[in-house]
Amino acid sequence: GEPFPNTDGLGGPFPPSFPGNEPEPFFNSFSIREIYDKAGDTDGKYSVPILWDKKLGTIVNNESSEIIRMLNKEFNAFAKNPDLDLYPEEKKQEIDSVNDWVYPTINNGVYRCGFATSQEAYDKAIGDLTESFDKIDTILQKQRYIAGDKVTEADIRLFVTLLRFDEVYTVYFKTNTRSVMATPSILNYCREIYQLPGVAETCNMEQIKAHYYCSHVELNKWSIIPKGPDFVKLLEEPHNRGD
């Protein structure tokens, strides 16, 4: 495809794809909306991730909290690590308990801050986020992972937000009361998760930043992408959390 500007015709031009990215395999679609159109969706909310059924030719699910659990056990016959269980029976209650406060205040909390349309709404969101960030700091000073002594689904859900926190959310969504880089327990936790087998290759900060900073003209008219602190380089440094 050809390079293109943002939805207001400004900024860029942005590449139609990044090196190493594969085309959408079924319809060679330009955008996610085209996938939803193929599925006959009429709701108008074009979100990712998507779990697509090749045989039925439709979207099975587009809710990340449900897809992560499907991928954890429903496809073990095809998995490289079928014995890895991120949602074990004996930890379900503890994982669910963590998710119950991490999702609204951290995972979704960054969006509540970034898209707040009143000072009151922002103040409430940033207050909730800051309190939970400090709670995470306290927990990780006492135990290795957010829901105990082993990596679980709760860590994966938390990590994907922390990965973006300093490079995107503190700037773009005004979550600047705290910083992962300035919080040793959380930084080293992120280093350990990032350095687990198979994780680093899923973390493409260039594309993360291009997506966020170029997707909302109401927040960034000219789609300027800040240089940032090179957070990934920090994640590549050794952590101090033992074996």
Side-chain angles (χ1 to χ4, degrees), residues 29-62:
S29 302
F30 174 76
S31 68
I32 287 295
R33 175 172 180 167
E34 294 180 27
I35 301 294
Y36 279 83
D37 289 344
K38 292 288 185 181
D41 181 271
T42 58
D43 290 341
K45 184 179 181 181
Y46 310 112
S47 64
V48 292
I50 289 172
L51 188 61
W52 179 266
D53 189 315
K54 294 192 293 184
K55 290 185 176 181
L56 297 179
T58 193
I59 295 171
V60 175
N61 198 297
N62 66 350

Side-chain angles (χ1 to χ4, degrees), residues 37 40 46 49 53 71 92 106 109 124 131 145 153 159 161 186 203:
D37 289 344
Y46 310 112
D53 189 315
L71 295 178
K92 287 182 177 179
I106 298 292
K124 177 65 168 67
E131 181 179 351
Y145 301 108
E153 169 197 293
F159 172 76
T161 296
I186 299 180
C203 304

